[in-house]
Amino acid sequence: YLEETNTTAFIILRGDELLYEGYFNGSSREATQTSISVAKSFASTMVGIAIEEGFIASLDDPVTAYIPELLERDPRFGEITLRHLLTMSSGLGFHRSSSPLHDGTKTYYAPDLRALALESRIEEAPGTRFLYNDYNPLLVGMVLERATNMSVSEYLETRLWQPMGAEADGSWSLDSERSGFEKMNTGINGRAIDFAKLGWLFLNEGRNGDRQVVPAAWVKEATRVDTTTDPAVEYQYFWWLDQERYAYFAEGNFCQFIYVYPDADLVLVRLGRDCGGTYWTGLLGDIAEWIEPRLGE
């Protein structure tokens, strides 16, 4: 089935145990897999670490505390907080259309994504509506590099990739050699098993052995079902929520998933060339529920 659905990697972790690991359609354990929007969940996790380290004061900081030039374009940027960016409720415009120059194309292909992010426009008050919007992670990336005084890639490497126990080198695709800015909405490249490590880290409340890599409070807050601070019950800090099963997942184009099911101590990873005609959110949840009663067998 995995072969037929254009899957390239499928992994199931139960706690510290590797239950299943399979590679298909020309892929292998050593193959580099390119994430799409799964990268957003890595980005939001770095914000939580940066707050813990004191580089960022609070999610309620206005984005203009770190990118003050936005105020010169529109004083309403002072009302947009980091929380609004992470919950996709910033009020910034983002439109897809048949035009080759719609926002989705520009935020993926522009050779200077910083300049593009600074041109983002406000269309409504922040905190009022959920809109999946790739300008938000670009601004998050600019905040991270300015707050930490290092590239986003370096911060990922030293604060998350290595501390969580990644087995191989990773990389983050850039907008261009001249600009050198990470494509914050996409483009983290690594082995499938190392994408699974992010889910495993969250399953363990941010701990890798004796090291607290991500604050436990952040793990809980970033994946909770709660609309007291944002308008979407199905989304938190760049993580999607499976409300029916109290699970959560990172998701990217071509049906890439890091699916975390805490009640059964499970992490499932699916990467592929496309979705293969499958509704993977439901299938991954069904697989997790099928495994759960068999944990003691």
Side-chain angles (χ1 to χ4, degrees), residues 81-265:
T81 67
L82 303 186
R83 190 185 307 276
H84 291 137
L85 297 179
L86 291 183
T87 57
M88 297 289 185
S89 62
S90 63
L92 297 176
F94 190 84
H95 301 278
R96 297 184 185 274
S97 69
S98 58
S99 166
L101 296 178
H102 64 77
D103 289 313
T105 300
K106 290 190 288 188
T107 53
Y108 192 86
Y109 290 109
D112 189 342
L113 289 173
R114 293 187 192 89
L116 182 68
L118 292 175
E119 295 172 0
S120 56
R121 61 210 174 277
I122 297 173
E123 293 190 348
E124 58 188 343
T128 58
R129 184 169 70 97
F130 172 83
L131 176 65
Y132 194 79
N133 183 331
D134 281 345
Y135 288 110
N136 294 327
L138 297 183
L139 291 171
V140 166
M142 292 180 69
V143 169
L144 280 169
E145 63 180 5
R146 292 187 181 190
T148 65
N149 199 31
M150 63 181 73
S151 71
V152 177
S153 295
E154 182 182 358
Y155 199 67
L156 171 66
E157 175 188 354
T158 57
R159 295 335 197 257
L160 185 55
W161 194 260
Q162 291 184 1
M164 75 180 185
E167 296 181 9
D169 292 343
S171 65
W172 204 325
S173 300
L174 304 177
D175 52 3
S176 65
E177 290 184 4
R178 178 179 56 83
S179 174
F181 184 49
E182 290 80 1
K183 292 164 65 71
M184 294 300 303
N185 53 330
T186 184
I188 292 181
N189 313 294
R191 293 183 181 180
I193 194 66
D194 289 332
F195 289 125
K197 291 290 181 70
L198 180 67
W200 176 84
L201 191 67
F202 268 62
L203 186 68
N204 287 280
E205 299 181 331
R207 294 188 67 84
N208 179 11
D210 295 332
R211 181 170 183 176
Q212 190 75 44
V213 180
V214 182
W218 178 269
V219 172
K220 181 178 180 179
E221 185 177 342
T223 59
R224 75 195 189 285
V225 178
D226 187 355
T227 57
T228 58
T229 57
D230 65 273
V233 70
E234 75 278 10
Y235 198 81
Q236 276 301 320
Y237 302 162
F238 292 173
W239 288 89
W240 293 93
L241 308 179
D242 184 340
Q243 305 160 61
E244 178 183 348
R245 300 179 175 91
Y246 301 101
Y248 52 89
F249 52 94
E251 181 180 6
N253 199 14
F254 310 124
C255 290
Q256 303 175 337
F257 285 91
I258 304 172
Y259 186 96
V260 184
Y261 189 16
D263 284 353
D265 209 24

Side-chain angles (χ1 to χ4, degrees), residues 48-65:
I49 296 171
I51 291 173
E52 178 71 11
E53 291 190 321
F55 290 119
I56 294 173
S58 166
L59 276 190
D60 296 316
D61 286 353
V63 65
T64 52

Side-chain angles (χ1 to χ4, degrees), residues 12-71:
I12 303 176
L13 300 177
R14 182 181 63 193
D16 295 339
E17 180 184 3
L18 182 60
L19 285 187
Y20 180 83
E21 183 179 19
Y23 299 92
F24 312 92
N25 295 298
S27 187
S28 67
R29 195 177 204 277
E30 293 73 29
T32 296
Q33 310 272 353
T34 298
S35 75
I36 312 295
S37 287
V38 163
K40 293 182 175 72
S41 301
F42 282 89
S44 70
T45 303
M46 287 190 287
V47 173
I49 296 171
I51 291 173
E52 178 71 11
E53 291 190 321
F55 290 119
I56 294 173
S58 166
L59 276 190
D60 296 316
D61 286 353
V63 65
T64 52
Y66 305 90
I67 315 176
E69 59 265 44
L70 288 170
L71 286 171

